[in-house]
Amino acid sequence: MIYLAILILLLNQTSATTDPVPQVVGDLLQSSCIECHSGEEPKGGLDLEVVLEDGATAPMEDWRLVHRVLTSGEMPPEDEPSPTSPVRDAAISQLREWMRQVLQSMPEKPGAAVTRRLGRTELHNTLRDLTGFEIDIDRHLAADPSSDGFDNQGGSLSPAYIERLFRIAEEVALGTVIIADEDSDLSILHEVDEFKIDGGGRIQAGSAYFWSRGSVSVPHFFPRSGTYRIHVEGWGQQAGNQHVRFGLQVGKNRPDTIEFSETREQPGRRTLERHFSAGTQRIRATFINDYYKPEHPDPSQRDRNAAIVSIRVEGPEEGLEPTPFQQAALAGDGTPQERLARGVEQWLPLFWRKPVSEANRQQLVDTSVAAASDPTSAELILRSALVAAIVSPRFILRIESTPSDASSGTIRNLHGHELATRLSYFLWGTTPDQSLMDAATQGTLDQPEGLLAATRRLLLDPRSRSLGSDFATQWLRIRDLADRLPDRKIFPNIDRRLLGYMREETIELFDHVLRNRLPLNELIDAPYTFANDRLARHYGLKEVKGDQIRRIEVEHPRGGGLMSQASILLATSTRQRSSPVLRGKCGCWRCYSMPLCRRRLQERALFLYPEKLDQSCHCESSCDCIVANPHVASATVEWTHLVFHSKGSTLSDATAQERSILEENFQMARYSGVLKTCAKRFPVQMGLPGPWRKIC
């Protein structure tokens, strides 16, 4: 189960004594490998004479290389004496166990944990959960760099990043702390001096004037989610059989069309009423129906031009009232400074993810009072306090401070708040909640039983869906699936909406296995999948009604599991066709931690061919053999009939017992591969060398 796999990473292993190199391993290397891998110029730079002589003291990377090439079948080469399969299997098994003992007997070196800043997704989730304000982080920050396939590895605090962080903090403060009274004006006017012009236009005579296609835009802060009215004043130099038209778009919403029949002498006004989310969004008006006929006999009908005079935003209609965070942060009576000080004591430890001393809290209060434009306003100094807390390194960085009395190289246990931070960002992708912080303060997380209980609670919480939406989509490289539209000439029925459903299918499977504490091999061969009406029709499955993604049973030949899902198959295809090389790499390396070697796969795996595929094309078969049940001939999952092959002969020629043994061996290899992959990928997602201990 997933939570047990996580705990395996968290628990220390006991040391063990190390025996000499197993004799079967030494004999195999001496008889088949050492002739080429020894002497003054050993092949590949690997001197097996030295490795065998050093034994347990040889670099572990050399032994891992030996294990890898033996397992994959790359060595010995075909022109050298090859061991029998039982001998090879015995050597691989004993070498693996011996390497495990060597690693256990080595001194513990978890490695130094570097300080990481919050990634873009983590920052968004953290601010949302702490303040209740939803901010479009993507508008402020560029995508995070990817490391080992994951984008939560953090980065540097450059001056440009800090400047953007200030803008984010100020927007969050504005949206979280509402200043509303009876005299508040819920109408804001944007005039030409605020406009940004793109395309064929310029500022002229108090208007944004366009002689060809172009747009005018202005950022506007919506203090809360609600219903707003946007009034656009404009006019047109009319020509042709249409009036001047603009496409009016707010943020990422679908644009609406507005039309002006008025002229310069008497501009018109058009109103758009919609529900908009809180936060800063750009309002854009684009001139969309330019017209130019210089040969027209009527000079007034030769050119259609347009102009925008102003944009006014009114609302929200629901009015403004203090947010829940604001009410809690300024609760009680007293001066603004006293109310802020009481609130800071409650919320600042959650922002900085650890206890905060009284001196640091008072310093924040003093800074906020000094920075506020009106220190007598509790709301304004709370805004200043929020900005100061968010731009602090204690918030944006995940700091694990080294004790002052610790010497270099000292290994120490992580304390409760450091464990709470790692656990929460790994399982939830966001900051620890109050319960987890309380457990850390009480010392509960310092004990394995308390850590296990906290892990179970976090996994059962809906926020653990982050493991599917963030971890699984990055592990399987489908996070940007919506940007991978296949060639529309070949696949005209595939659109971004369907791609979103494909991605959701994978997230639902991963989350289902997690939520129901199912074994990880359910990811491989689940006899069910998750689909709605649109996705089920694409697969040709039984009818599903509605847009809601739901579990449905899947019968042969499609099968279930990750490698039968459209998201995985599309991500491992080109825009025109399937790619056995990409698909084999995804299955072997990314999902099953299997080596990619054609000869070994031909010996040990089941090959899946379409009936008419040239059997000499082993480069495709050796990669596509890992693709679960069916070989997929199309980039968009069009299923073909299957004929199983092994060593060039059809599986149907084998006895029932032989088929059963081959299938069982292949399934066991995939099951162990998925477990191994998760054990590798979970620490990478955590971004740290040791989940429980660190080196100073």
Side-chain angles (χ1 to χ4, degrees):
M1 286 176 280
I2 291 180
Y3 76 88
L4 291 179
I6 298 169
L7 290 178
I8 289 173
L9 300 174
L10 297 175
L11 297 176
N12 289 328
Q13 295 180 339
T14 59
S15 61
T17 58
T18 304
D19 296 326
V21 177
Q23 183 173 350
V24 65
V25 177
D27 292 345
L28 189 155
L29 297 181
Q30 289 282 0
S31 62
S32 302
C33 306
I34 208 164
E35 181 178 347
C36 297
H37 293 279
S38 61
E40 295 183 358
E41 296 183 358
K43 283 189 176 181
L46 178 64
D47 192 332
L48 290 179
E49 276 188 338
V50 175
V51 173
L52 286 171
E53 182 179 347
D54 292 345
T57 61
M60 187 51 61
E61 283 303 314
D62 290 345
W63 284 116
R64 288 194 180 102
L65 176 60
V66 172
H67 180 269
R68 185 165 62 249
V69 297
L70 288 177
T71 303
S72 67
E74 296 176 44
M75 293 293 173
E78 295 181 357
D79 56 353
E80 293 293 334
S82 295
T84 63
S85 291
V87 171
R88 182 193 293 271
D89 292 342
I92 292 171
S93 175
Q94 293 186 33
L95 177 59
R96 183 187 301 114
E97 177 62 23
W98 178 80
M99 290 168 59
R100 185 184 65 81
Q101 293 181 7
V102 171
L103 289 171
Q104 287 181 335
S105 65
M106 290 180 175
E108 186 178 8
K109 294 181 179 179
V114 298
T115 298
R116 299 169 52 215
R117 67 166 171 80
L118 299 183
R120 191 167 62 168
T121 302
E122 293 172 330
L123 179 58
H124 169 270
N125 295 344
T126 299
L127 291 172
R128 177 202 62 206
D129 292 344
L130 289 174
T131 67
F133 182 76
E134 195 91 29
I135 183 173
D136 183 7
I137 292 290
D138 296 355
R139 185 172 52 82
H140 293 279
L141 298 176
D144 293 308
S146 177
S147 175
D148 290 322
F150 297 94
D151 65 0
N152 67 338
Q153 307 304 298
S156 61
L157 289 179
S158 64
Y161 184 91
I162 295 174
E163 181 181 350
R164 294 188 182 99
L165 183 60
F166 264 99
R167 295 177 184 173
I168 292 171
E170 290 168 352
E171 183 173 331
V172 170
L174 285 172
T176 304
V177 183
I178 304 297
I179 302 177
D181 54 48
E182 296 180 356
D183 298 328
S184 295
D185 185 5
L186 300 183
S187 175
I188 297 178
L189 178 65
H190 300 286
E191 298 184 293
V192 292
D193 56 338
E194 302 177 56
F195 289 170
K196 177 185 177 184
I197 306 294
D198 294 305
R202 65 175 181 269
I203 300 299
Q204 176 178 304
S207 301
Y209 182 80
F210 299 95
W211 59 87
S212 65
R213 185 180 179 90
S215 64
V216 55
S217 64
V218 62
H220 180 81
F221 177 74
F222 295 86
R224 58 162 292 182
S225 298
T227 304
Y228 292 82
R229 289 191 182 92
I230 299 179
H231 306 285
V232 181
E233 185 178 4
W235 55 271
Q237 178 181 320
Q238 310 296 340
N241 57 3
Q242 294 180 348
H243 295 304
V244 164
R245 292 177 182 172
F246 282 89
L248 183 61
Q249 183 178 24
V250 180
K252 298 179 181 179
N253 296 288
R254 181 172 301 200
D256 291 89
T257 300
I258 57 176
E259 184 175 292
F260 290 98
S261 58
E262 293 83 359
T263 60
R264 182 197 303 265
E265 291 73 23
Q266 191 173 0
R269 186 179 184 184
R270 301 294 181 268
T271 299
L272 174 68
E273 183 173 327
R274 291 285 186 276
H275 183 279
F276 298 114
S277 301
T280 300
Q281 302 188 61
R282 185 165 288 274
I283 302 173
R284 181 182 301 274
T286 304
F287 179 34
I288 59 175
N289 66 333
D290 183 34
Y291 173 88
Y292 183 60
K293 296 291 183 181
E295 70 281 1
H296 197 284
D298 184 354
S300 66
Q301 294 297 312
R302 293 176 181 174
D303 193 10
R304 181 190 300 138
N305 299 317
I308 296 294
V309 178
S310 66
I311 298 176
R312 179 183 293 274
V313 181
E314 293 180 353
E317 285 190 1
E318 297 81 357
L320 296 175
E321 57 185 20
T323 65
F325 175 88
Q326 178 180 350
Q327 292 174 349
L330 296 176
D333 300 324
T335 66
Q337 291 87 342
E338 292 172 345
R339 295 168 64 192
L340 177 64
R342 285 197 302 268
V344 163
E345 186 176 358
Q346 301 300 319
W347 59 261
L348 190 57
L350 292 174
F351 275 70
W352 290 356
R353 300 178 289 277
K354 64 179 183 179
V356 182
S357 67
E358 183 178 355
N360 285 337
R361 295 199 305 268
Q362 188 59 46
Q363 183 181 22
L364 181 73
V365 172
D366 295 341
T367 301
S368 304
V369 172
S373 58
D374 181 4
T376 64
S377 169
E379 290 78 13
L380 288 177
I381 61 173
L382 177 57
R383 283 181 177 177
S384 298
L386 273 176
V387 173
I390 292 171
V391 301
S392 169
R394 296 180 180 91
F395 172 80
I396 196 62
L397 298 178
R398 288 170 53 181
I399 300 173
E400 295 174 354
S401 303
T402 300
S404 57
D405 57 349
S407 58
S408 177
T410 301
I411 298 174
R412 71 171 178 88
N413 288 334
L414 298 174
H415 63 64
H417 293 94
E418 293 169 338
L419 282 172
T421 298
R422 289 195 185 189
L423 196 61
S424 179
Y425 278 102
F426 173 48
L427 297 180
W428 285 354
T430 186
T431 191
D433 63 0
Q434 187 65 61
S435 297
L436 194 57
M437 290 290 287
D438 291 342
T441 302
Q442 296 162 6
T444 306
L445 298 185
D446 296 330
Q447 303 301 321
E449 298 81 6
L451 191 60
L452 175 59
T455 301
R456 285 173 170 163
R457 182 180 73 84
L458 267 64
L459 284 171
L460 292 175
D461 191 281
R463 281 170 286 189
S464 64
R465 185 177 170 83
S466 168
L467 275 175
S469 59
D470 291 333
F471 170 76
T473 57
Q474 293 186 79
W475 165 37
L476 299 169
R477 306 294 197 273
I478 62 169
R479 196 176 197 180
D480 60 345
L481 193 68
D483 299 327
R484 300 187 184 185
L485 272 173
D487 193 326
R488 297 299 296 272
K489 295 180 181 178
I490 304 175
F491 308 106
N493 296 325
I494 308 299
D495 53 25
R496 295 187 187 277
R497 188 176 183 183
L498 179 59
L499 295 182
Y501 294 146
M502 293 176 179
R503 181 176 177 272
E504 196 68 20
E505 176 191 17
T506 303
I507 295 174
E508 287 290 341
L509 174 62
F510 194 92
D511 188 66
H512 176 76
V513 172
L514 169 74
R515 191 82 50 218
N516 294 279
R517 302 171 67 178
L518 301 175
L520 283 175
N521 58 24
E522 196 87 354
L523 295 173
I524 304 173
D525 54 8
Y528 54 84
T529 190
F530 294 84
N532 60 6
D533 173 61
R534 179 72 177 85
L535 188 58
R537 282 189 285 110
H538 176 75
Y539 283 145
L541 300 176
K542 64 180 182 180
E543 182 179 358
V544 177
K545 295 183 179 180
D547 289 336
Q548 181 68 33
I549 299 285
R550 68 198 70 183
R551 172 175 167 167
I552 58 174
E553 302 301 316
V554 179
E555 299 177 355
H556 186 81
R558 180 182 185 272
L562 290 174
M563 293 305 296
S564 70
Q565 293 186 348
S567 61
I568 310 299
L569 299 170
L570 182 61
T572 56
S573 302
T574 69
R575 295 187 67 243
Q576 290 79 28
R577 62 180 297 275
S578 64
S579 171
V581 174
L582 292 177
R583 194 160 296 158
K585 180 180 179 181
C586 173
C588 291
W589 173 73
R590 192 174 302 152
C591 294
Y592 304 138
S593 289
M594 292 181 179
L596 276 167
C597 175
R598 185 182 70 185
R599 188 165 70 88
R600 186 60 173 168
L601 288 172
Q602 290 172 348
E603 291 177 358
R604 309 288 284 178
L606 297 175
F607 293 161
L608 305 181
Y609 291 89
E611 290 180 342
K612 298 183 180 180
L613 184 66
D614 182 0
Q615 296 183 17
S616 66
C617 184
H618 295 298
C619 62
E620 293 203 2
S621 64
S622 63
C623 292
D624 263 345
C625 69
I626 303 300
V627 182
N629 295 334
H631 174 92
V632 181
S634 163
T636 58
V637 199
E638 296 172 2
W639 305 96
T640 64
H641 297 289
L642 308 175
V643 179
F644 292 80
H645 291 256
S646 178
K647 295 184 179 179
S649 61
T650 62
L651 188 60
S652 59
D653 294 336
T655 66
Q657 182 179 6
E658 290 171 338
R659 288 200 300 271
S660 176
I661 293 174
L662 285 170
E663 292 170 351
E664 181 179 356
N665 288 341
F666 185 54
Q667 289 289 66
M668 289 300 297
R670 293 197 301 156
Y671 294 163
S672 62
V674 168
L675 290 171
K676 187 188 300 183
T677 298
C678 289
K680 288 180 179 179
R681 297 294 173 182
F682 280 151
V684 176
Q685 167 76 352
M686 298 175 81
L688 297 164
W692 203 6
R693 296 163 71 83
K694 68 170 285 187
I695 188 168
C696 301

